[in-house]
C-alpha cells in the first residue's frame, strides 16, 4: 500500500487489490478513486466504472494492453483441448513465456508494411497474448521491430478513445511494448469514453495527500467515497 500522507484520515472505505475482501464490494452510487494502471488497474477500471457513480483513475504510467476477447468455450473447443491436453502442456513448457503457442521465427522486417499491419490486426481481433507471442520473433530484441507493434497499439488507442486529449494521456511512450508485463483487458480503452470516468495524470499533477474527503493533487482536490489501490 502506498505510503500516502493522510490515508489514516480518509473518511470513506479503501481497498487494495492485493488484499481484496471475500465479500462483494458494492460501488453503486459511489465516487471511486483508483490509483494505479498496471495490469490489475487495467482489469479493475472497466468493472468499477460500470457500477460507480463516478470513477477517477489516477495514472502515473500508461501501459500497452491488448484485448483479452474472452468468451465461453464451445463444446467442440473444449473437446479439442481435452483431446490434445498433453501436447498443449508440452508446448507451454517449451515456450519462453509459458504460452501454448508455436514458436514464431518470422521477423518484422520479413514482411511488407501492409502484411505486417494485417498480422497485427488479426492478432488484435483474436486477443490475448497471441499479439506478442505469434506476431514477430524480434519484438523484444529489436527496437525498430518493437516500434511497429507499439505504433499499431498507439493508433488503436487513438481510434478507440474519442477525446484526443485523453487518448494522448493513455499513449505509452516510455517503454517498448512487452518489456513490462504485457496486460490484456476487457474494454479498458473504451471505458474512458464513459461520461462517469475521468483520467488524472499524476506525473503532471502528483498526489500530495489523502484527505478526509478524498485525494489532493498539486492541481486540485477530488472528493471520493471509496479509494482503490491497484499498486504493488
Amino acid at each position: 500500500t502506498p505510503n500516502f500522507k493522510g490515508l489514516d484520515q480518509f473518511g470513506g472505505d479503501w481497498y487494495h487489490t492485493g488484499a481484496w475482501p471475500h465479500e462483494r464490494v458494492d460501488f453503486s452510487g459511489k465516487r471511486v478513486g483508483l490509483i494505479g494502471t498496471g495490469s490489475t488497474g487495467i482489469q479493475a477500471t472497466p468493472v468499477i466504472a460500470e457500477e460507480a457513480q463516478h470513477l477517477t483513475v489516477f495514472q502515473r504510467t500508461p501501459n500497452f494492453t491488448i484485448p483479452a476477447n474472452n468468451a465461453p468455450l464451445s463444446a467442440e473447443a473444449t473437446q479439442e483441448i481435452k483431446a490434445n491436453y498433453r501436447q498443449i502442456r508440452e508446448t507451454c513448457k517449451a515456450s519462453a513465456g509459458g504460452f501454448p503457442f508455436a514458436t514464431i521465427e518470422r521477423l518484422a522486417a520479413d514482411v511488407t508494411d501492409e502484411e505486417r499491419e494485417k498480422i497485427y490486426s488479426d492478432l488484435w481481433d483474436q486477443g490475448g497474448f497471441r499479439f506478442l507471442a505469434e506476431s514477430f520473433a524480434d519484438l523484444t530484441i529489436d527496437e525498430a521491430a518493437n516500434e511497429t507493434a507499439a505504433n499499431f497499439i498507439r493508433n488503436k488507442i487513438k481510434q478507440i478513445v474519442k477525446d484526443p486529449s485523453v487518448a494522448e494521456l493513455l499513449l505509452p511512450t516510455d517503454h517498448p511494448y512487452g518489456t513490462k508485463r504485457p496486460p490484456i483487458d476487457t474494454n479498458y480503452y473504451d471505458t474512458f469514453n464513459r461520461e462517469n470516468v475521468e483520467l488524472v495524470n499524476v506525473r503532471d499533477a502528483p498526489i500530495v495527500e489523502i484527505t478526509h474527503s478524498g485525494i489532493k493533487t498539486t492541481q486540485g482536490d477530488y472528493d471520493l467515497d471509496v479509494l482503490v489501490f491497484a499498486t504493488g
Side-chain angles (χ1 to χ4, degrees):
T1 303
N3 187 26
F4 286 119
K5 175 185 175 183
L7 178 58
D8 57 340
Q9 302 298 318
F10 181 58
D13 296 322
W14 68 268
Y15 305 93
H16 194 292
T17 53
W20 203 256
H22 291 287
E23 63 273 12
R24 182 180 180 277
V25 177
D26 185 4
F27 293 108
S28 57
K30 303 289 182 64
R31 298 165 300 176
V32 183
L34 172 67
I35 300 175
T37 54
S39 181
T40 305
I42 284 170
Q43 294 174 62
T45 293
V47 179
I48 295 174
E50 287 183 356
E51 191 171 282
Q53 173 190 327
H54 191 274
L55 171 64
T56 305
V57 178
F58 295 86
Q59 172 189 269
R60 181 183 64 182
T61 304
N63 272 291
F64 294 100
T65 178
I66 304 295
N69 289 340
N70 290 321
L73 288 174
S74 65
E76 293 79 9
T78 301
Q79 185 176 7
E80 182 179 356
I81 290 170
K82 290 182 177 181
N84 296 282
Y85 188 72
R86 184 178 297 277
Q87 181 57 49
I88 291 170
R89 290 288 293 165
E90 291 303 317
T91 302
C92 289
K93 290 178 183 179
S95 165
F99 299 129
F101 312 135
T103 301
I104 294 296
E105 297 184 0
R106 174 181 59 200
L107 305 181
D110 290 342
V111 299
T112 66
D113 292 347
E114 292 76 16
E115 290 170 332
R116 192 185 310 111
E117 186 78 6
K118 185 177 187 309
I119 289 168
Y120 286 143
S121 183
D122 288 345
L123 292 172
W124 177 277
D125 291 340
Q126 291 181 60
F129 294 110
R130 291 181 181 275
F131 190 94
L132 180 62
E134 291 193 327
S135 54
F136 302 101
D138 54 345
L139 289 193
T140 58
I141 59 174
D142 184 276
E143 187 174 357
N146 189 283
E147 192 64 10
T148 65
N151 278 331
F152 178 88
I153 299 171
R154 293 185 192 114
N155 286 332
K156 280 291 187 181
I157 297 170
K158 293 176 183 178
Q159 293 168 19
I160 295 169
V161 181
K162 296 176 182 178
D163 186 330
S165 62
V166 176
E168 193 67 27
L169 290 178
L170 290 166
L171 298 181
T173 57
D174 71 337
H175 65 282
Y177 169 63
T179 57
K180 291 187 176 184
R181 178 181 178 181
I184 56 176
D185 71 272
T186 300
N187 301 324
Y188 178 66
Y189 295 122
D190 291 281
T191 298
F192 291 96
N193 293 324
R194 298 177 63 105
E195 292 184 357
N196 69 325
V197 175
E198 178 181 4
L199 180 64
V200 175
N201 178 10
V202 297
R203 286 197 186 277
D204 288 345
I207 294 173
V208 176
E209 63 178 330
I210 309 296
T211 67
H212 178 77
S213 59
I215 289 178
K216 179 181 182 62
T217 73
T218 57
Q219 295 182 4
D221 296 308
Y222 298 85
D223 291 335
L224 304 167
D225 303 306
V226 182
L227 290 177
V228 175
F229 296 100
T231 56

